[in-house]
Amino acid sequence: MLWAIAEAALDIGRRRLTTAARSAQKCSALYLVDLGSAAIALALALVLRYGIAGLSARPDTTVVLMWSGLQYVAICAFVFPLSGLYSRNWKYGSISDLFTILRAALLTSLLLVSLLFFSTRLSEIPRTVVPLQSLLLIACLAASRLSFRADEISLARPAFRIARNGAGKADHRIPLLIVGAGDAADLYLRALARDPNTTYLPVACLDKTADHIGMTLRGVPIAGRIEDFENVVCELQRVNRQPRHVVFTEAPSTFGDAASDELLKSAERLGIAVSRLSQMTELKRAKTENPYELRSIELTDLLERPQAALDKEAIRRLVSGRRVLITGAGGSIGSELTSQIAACAPAEIVLIDNTEYNLYAIDMTLSENFATVPRFSYLCSVRRSQRVDEIFDRHRPELVFHAAALKHVPMVQMNPCEGVLTNVIGTMNVANAAKKFGTLAMVQISTDKVVNSTSVMGATKRLAELYCQALDLDGVKTAKGPRFMTVRFGNVLGSSGSLIPLFKRQLARGGPLTVTDPCMTRFFMTIREAVELTLQASAYGFEKQLGQGEIFVLDMGEPIKIIDIARRMIQLAGFTPDREIEIKIIGCRPGEKLFEELFDETDKRINSPVPGVLGAVPDPIPLPTLSDAFTRLQRHAERGNEKGLKAVMRELLPRYEPEPVHTNGHPLQERTPLRRNFAKGGPRRNGYDKGARKELGLPGS
């Protein structure tokens, strides 16, 4: 039995020695540096004890030092590998690994003392040299291992400062406000600093208490408590570092339910997105069917600006206690409109949509989230005036939001008759019903595609704008009838049929992302922001009788290149553009322009008192002229007469130039959208003359 135990012990020792030797061999450079450090530490300890002059006067001590140094290096050569100094990756070393260094240094020092005691009885080397040598060796071993983490020196910079690159372009990283200054925040900031492709820029931290205010965490200032959120945002605005995203590094409940809820409400009011970090200990399946599993992408991160603030009280005063009808209620804009209106306690909501599933989905949403709000759902095409009148007669809505439309530019370009029937005739049917059945106000959702339009979709929506404007001016002239308001805005991120869902599908497949042209730009808003500003403009327009005969144009900031959106989405999904995910240029589609505008050449731009909203006054067309033309448009569209239809559209919109299209839907030639320069004061077909404009009190009269 004793022999078996001895054999097992020898086998364990042999394997331990073999493992230690292999680890030292793998880290041979560090091993040699450590042995040199041991010799230097012993020599330096003697120098510190005697001084250079004193050591020179003791030649015997120098000889002993050389002999003892060789013995000590031999001890270290054996002990260091066995102590585990080379069995770990020191790039990820921590405080706990310091005990490995202490153990190795103390063990070698004890062996050196034992060796010197038996050989010289410690007569040649003072006893104070040993503790000095131990401290110096610990410092040398720690310093050599800290060199593995030299890249973290950058983590201690006054870090995450907004910088400019060599081309003078501004830093486009998304400013973050971190909620929490604990371990999770430290790990997150460390990860951000290590990531050269990060799209986020921490600008400040909020903590649970005031104890650490004025300090920094990884170079990020701790600016206040969670209760100080709005004050901190104001201070950051003053230094041009307004956050566009708030990140909870821990569960919001850990900061107090009341404080967290108040922060969420304030962030929503200020148009700042809020997210929470996922748990580091969360497990996912190692193998999935899709190798390109995407990170969650916040649409607000694709905008290089904060979302607009909102006057919710004005919206509540508009909606509360009133009967509201929404067309296109199941669409992207319509469903968001429905949800936000339902939150303002209307007397009832009437939902109209031509798609069964969309209507079912929004009806289910209301039943789950706003069960106490009376609702009525109707499958109805706005093209059918009799069906529209029947619904209006039954419910007598006080407010109407008209979001039903065909909006996909290439599809409407290839199907112009359908576009006219829905966007022009459908709008006319809804507007006529609103006037006929005593509606207080109708709000039409329009698009920037109407401006200097080259597409059928843009032209049809322009005609819808003109019809609502004519009805609004007719109400001003006759002093009766509902308000007809039109809200115009550009692309909304995440809407059905838009580029964001397309990019997400392409990313999920591993690319490439398809962009029509590298120079193509668009105005962008989130769906929520567009709907909020639409409601705000409607509330101000109705309550204060603003914008009569005007178009409310949402302030969408600066246009953004589509290719920049694609690159940003790739980065936010965790990939590298042009390396891991390709961006492919495919050419413009039918009806598309390289750029969009918010104001037509004929629009008179005016200042609007509505926050986040601009004003445009198109040259109006008299209502009888439009009614007659729309009758002809409807006749041509129902007969499929595209040539006659476009002729009527050209008659109403002299600047509209339809793009020639093949039978397969592709344009005959690529061309830049035509932009004519018309002389100021020249004749305007079908418009009000100067006297009529003055009578109606329009700007420019």
Side-chain angles (χ1 to χ4, degrees), residues 238-276:
R238 274 197 273 272
V239 293
N240 198 29
R241 303 184 87 179
Q242 180 181 1
R244 297 208 308 271
H245 210 132
V246 173
V247 176
F248 279 88
T249 56
E250 303 171 39
S253 58
T254 62
F255 300 95
D257 291 336
S260 298
D261 289 344
E262 186 60 33
L263 185 148
L264 291 171
K265 291 177 183 176
S266 298
E268 184 178 3
R269 186 167 59 253
L270 296 171
I272 302 175
V274 181
S275 296
R276 178 191 163 188

Side-chain angles (χ1 to χ4, degrees), residues 291-341:
Y292 291 91
E293 182 182 4
L294 301 183
R295 300 176 186 175
S296 176
I297 297 174
E298 293 285 349
L299 295 180
T300 52
D301 293 343
L302 298 173
L303 300 176
E304 297 185 357
R305 58 173 178 80
Q307 296 189 84
L310 186 65
D311 184 354
K312 286 197 170 182
E313 285 306 312
I315 296 173
R316 186 171 292 276
R317 288 195 301 271
L318 172 71
V319 173
S320 180
R322 289 199 167 109
R323 299 182 301 277
V324 183
L325 182 146
I326 303 167
T327 70
S332 303
I333 297 294
S335 58
E336 181 68 20
L337 261 173
T338 301
S339 297
Q340 291 195 26
I341 287 171

Side-chain angles (χ1 to χ4, degrees), residues 568-633:
R568 202 164 186 79
M569 278 201 69
I570 293 171
Q571 291 169 343
L572 289 171
F575 303 109
T576 305
D578 301 319
R579 192 170 67 194
E580 294 176 290
I581 301 291
E582 179 190 359
I583 297 176
K584 184 179 180 181
I585 307 300
I586 60 173
C588 293
R589 299 174 299 177
E592 282 189 325
K593 299 193 294 185
L594 288 181
F595 58 91
E596 296 291 357
E597 304 156 279
L598 295 176
F599 295 90
D600 196 89
E601 291 176 345
T602 61
D603 288 346
K604 180 178 177 59
R605 181 171 177 171
I606 61 173
N607 293 324
S608 172
V610 185
V613 179
L614 308 171
V617 183
D619 279 341
I621 298 177
L623 187 58
T625 303
L626 284 173
S627 298
D628 175 68
F630 281 16
T631 301
R632 288 183 284 142
L633 275 175

Side-chain angles (χ1 to χ4, degrees), residues 155-159 181 186 189 205 212-223:
L155 300 186
R157 66 191 189 277
D186 177 74
L189 292 174
C205 290
H212 301 118
I213 294 176
M215 299 181 182
T216 61
L217 178 65
R218 297 278 168 187
V220 179
I222 300 174

Side-chain angles (χ1 to χ4, degrees), residues 18 58 84 136 210 258 423 472 640 662:
T18 302
R58 295 171 176 270
L136 290 170
N423 296 350
D472 199 34
H662 275 311

